[in-house]
Amino acid sequence: MPDRETEDEAKMRRVIAENIRRVEEMLQFLPLHPETVKDVRAKVGLLRTILLEQRAPAFALVGRRGAGKSSLVNALFGAKVAEVGHVKSQTGQGKWFDYRSERGAISVLDTRGIQEGSRPTEDDPAKDAVASILAPLRRKVPDVILFLVKATEADSGVDADLAVLERIYAEIEREHRFRPPLVAIATHCDVLEPKGTRLHLASAEPREEVDEKLARVSEVEHHLETKIKARPKLAPHLVWTRGLSSYMSFREGGELRGDERWRVDELVGTLFKHMPDAGRGTFVRIARVRGLQEQLATDLTRATAVICTGVAAVPIPVADVFPITAMQMALVAGIAWLSGRPLDKKAAAEFLGAMGANVGAAVVLREGFRALMKVVAPGLGSMISGAIAFAGTMAVGAAARQYFLRGGSIDDARRAFADAKAAAEEEGKRQEEEVRRGMNGSPPPPASDA
Ligand SMILES: Nc1nc2c(ncn2[C@@H]2O[C@H](COP(=O)(O)OP(=O)(O)OP(=O)(O)O)[C@@H](O)[C@H]2O)c(=O)[nH]1
Ligand SMILES: [Mg+2]
């Protein structure tokens, strides 16, 4: 659950929760094939997780002083949230800390001081630096462990760090019976020779210089990967080894002065891939990688469309229209949220209304759902067919992606709506047929006149 929730957001969440509950209740009574119900239930689960059960993603950052742990946190946010540089190494480290922006928080366990090994800490001489990091790992398990090494120092001392990493894995395994994926990162790749060649602006640099630099990056990656693969306790968990640069420069006040990040998007993609759904929504809001926002929004759209097809199979005319519209509104609100906006019911309703041909926002608010229904059910008065519910929902999702994620105008969104609706019609029919086939021996729902 995102922090600092406004009253509006809390209200929107309650509305979504209520609708999800209704849909789940309905599923019990639907004369659907158990397999279909299972599928719809799984999709409802995804919706619930993304929209209602979001939490901060949790990363453990393992790396020695100056490896670039704080810089990496800033690189993920694209803003200064962590203090970079030469803050004096503190003893008694090892606490989960929530770095936050208005878009959400990432929970980080910073292992600063870990390479100081077994030197006792001031406040508790019985504990060494590693032990002080193991304690918080018992309280909370990281989604992913990130191991950071300076590209220029990948040769020296990596073995000592990896020994610490093994202890960390052993502790997590013992405590949680879980082994988080391991992502190995060579930081500071921008300062590899030829130093002046800018990897983040590679197309503007001489080809052979870039190639030379990339060859050095590969060398470091290979070295790092070989070291990790040689350790049977770590090797099975390693999912990614890459060199990158997280260098960003900020003015006193925190505004961005220079951005030399290279391959951070790739890292974001990897972290996204290897974290549970509950952290994904918050993560794509923070990291703002368009492709991942789109991916999650597309998953949500499809899930909602399938749910609506199932709901449309309820043989009670009024029962289906309300939840379908409500689910679509939740979808719009969810996509807007993924883009970084707050969850906002009014904005979602206005947007849905604007997608209906002549339905202005004011009318929508005054007439409420009756007006909204025109969007999905032009021939209202009877049931919505599953095919229309499916295509309409796919259209709503496409329009919301166009508007909220790609910054299109309302007109662009309308066009996306129309295109997606036409494109989804065939699939809608297939989906509906599937639902009908799934109805065990019960009569098919009355045909729609739309
Ligand atoms: N050129 C370059 N500099 C980097 C990169 N990552 C970090 N730095 C710089 O390296 C120094 C140390 O980075 P930090 O992010 O503070 O490192 P840290 O691991 O958090 O260090 P401690 O908190 O002391 O353990 C800072 O001056 C950063 O600006 C990078 O990818 N490229
Ligand atoms: Mg730091």
Side-chain angles (χ1 to χ4, degrees):
M1 192 79 50
D3 34 287
R4 291 188 198 158
E5 187 169 68
T6 64
E7 216 169 282
D8 249 17
E9 285 191 277
K11 211 157 94 192
M12 185 65 201
R13 254 172 231 286
R14 278 198 300 278
V15 171
I16 295 174
E18 169 66 14
N19 284 307
I20 288 183
R21 195 186 55 74
R22 284 174 67 149
V23 167
E24 275 173 334
E25 236 171 53
M26 267 167 130
L27 280 177
Q28 288 180 287
F29 302 115
L30 286 186
L32 293 175
H33 191 276
E35 280 304 309
T36 312
V37 171
K38 219 172 105 194
D39 180 42
V40 177
R41 252 186 224 296
K43 299 232 159 33
V44 172
L46 175 70
L47 221 62
R48 176 201 295 291
T49 307
I50 300 291
L51 298 181
L52 301 174
E53 291 162 10
Q54 275 301 307
R55 58 161 176 80
F59 303 134
L61 303 190
V62 181
R64 51 186 54 210
R65 294 211 67 196
K69 300 179 293 297
S70 304
S71 299
L72 191 71
V73 171
N74 290 336
L76 293 176
F77 276 88
K80 186 169 176 186
V81 293
E83 211 46 63
V84 166
H86 308 288
V87 187
K88 193 166 166 281
S89 177
Q90 297 152 25
T91 52
Q93 279 303 316
K95 265 198 205 98
W96 283 100
F97 184 81
D98 278 0
Y99 290 100
R100 57 183 75 238
S101 75
E102 73 285 355
R103 282 173 274 128
I106 296 182
S107 198
V108 171
L109 179 64
D110 189 323
T111 62
R112 180 142 51 98
I114 200 153
Q115 81 284 11
E116 267 119 76
S118 308
R119 219 179 58 199
T121 58
E122 279 160 25
D123 44 0
D124 188 353
K127 280 190 175 177
D128 65 23
V130 179
S132 80
I133 278 142
L134 297 183
L137 284 172
R138 283 195 282 276
R139 283 196 296 281
K140 178 153 104 181
V141 62
D143 295 322
V144 181
I145 297 185
L146 287 76
F147 177 62
L148 286 79
V149 185
K150 251 182 166 174
T152 47
E153 293 172 4
D155 277 325
S156 55
V158 173
D159 283 304
D161 294 350
L162 291 177
V164 170
L165 201 53
E166 282 183 342
R167 277 182 73 184
I168 289 175
Y169 265 95
E171 186 70 14
I172 296 176
E173 156 93 84
R174 201 174 62 81
E175 199 67 31
H176 304 283
R177 304 268 145 242
F178 171 67
R179 278 148 299 191
L182 174 62
V183 164
I185 300 165
T187 60
H188 290 76
C189 280
D190 50 312
V191 302
L192 290 172
E193 288 296 330
K195 211 169 165 181
T197 306
R198 297 163 303 173
L199 290 172
H200 66 293
L201 297 173
S203 55
E205 301 282 4
R207 189 66 241 173
E208 54 289 3
E209 311 267 296
V210 172
D211 286 345
E212 185 185 337
K213 192 152 182 158
L214 287 177
R216 280 185 219 279
V217 173
S218 299
E219 223 171 272
V220 172
E221 289 166 347
H222 180 73
H223 177 76
L224 188 57
E225 186 173 353
T226 309
K227 286 267 184 200
I228 297 173
K229 287 272 170 75
R231 292 182 180 252
K233 286 180 192 148
L234 298 177
H237 317 307
L238 183 65
V239 294
W240 199 78
T241 310
R242 290 297 246 178
L244 53 74
S245 165
S246 20
Y247 186 79
M248 295 170 90
S249 148
F250 301 96
R251 291 208 179 80
E252 281 286 315
E255 346 74 286
L256 189 62
R257 174 163 46 198
D259 183 354
E260 296 176 18
R261 286 178 293 172
W262 176 65
R263 279 194 183 161
V264 170
D265 278 6
E266 243 183 82
L267 169 68
V268 168
T270 296
L271 295 174
F272 178 84
K273 184 169 156 201
H274 292 282
M275 75 172 64
D277 280 334
R280 286 184 164 159
T282 304
F283 190 59
V284 303
R285 288 189 94 203
I286 289 171
R288 285 197 279 205
V289 174
R290 175 77 55 75
L292 298 178
Q293 290 171 320
E294 292 263 355
Q295 188 183 320
L296 209 48
T298 304
D299 287 353
L300 278 188
T301 303
R302 178 156 282 278
T304 313
V306 171
I307 293 165
C308 289
T309 314
V311 170
V314 184
I316 316 161
V318 203
D320 62 352
V321 178
F322 174 73
I324 286 174
T325 312
M327 291 305 284
Q328 290 178 339
M329 195 146 92
L331 174 63
V332 171
I335 292 173
W337 179 76
L338 289 175
S339 79
R341 289 170 181 74
L343 269 183
D344 181 350
K345 189 177 166 198
K346 190 167 158 240
E350 279 177 3
F351 179 79
L352 257 189
M355 290 306 101
N358 304 307
V359 189
V363 182
V364 170
L365 290 175
R366 197 170 58 242
E367 305 228 314
F369 284 113
R370 209 142 44 88
L372 286 184
M373 279 179 229
K374 290 184 189 155
V375 178
V376 275
L380 201 71
S382 70
M383 294 222 13
I384 295 177
S385 80
I388 288 177
F390 182 87
T393 308
M394 293 296 274
V396 165
R401 295 200 300 277
Q402 182 65 36
Y403 183 74
F404 292 108
L405 295 184
R406 287 171 226 154
S409 67
I410 283 287
D411 277 342
D412 294 335
R414 282 207 189 97
R415 269 191 293 278
F417 184 95
D419 291 350
K421 196 162 179 200
E425 255 156 30
E426 281 310 307
E427 197 187 349
K429 283 182 199 148
R430 279 199 302 279
Q431 287 280 347
E432 176 169 15
E433 245 167 62
E434 203 158 292
V435 168
R436 284 180 195 228
R437 255 205 314 278
M439 299 183 108
N440 313 319
S442 62
S448 160
D449 61 356

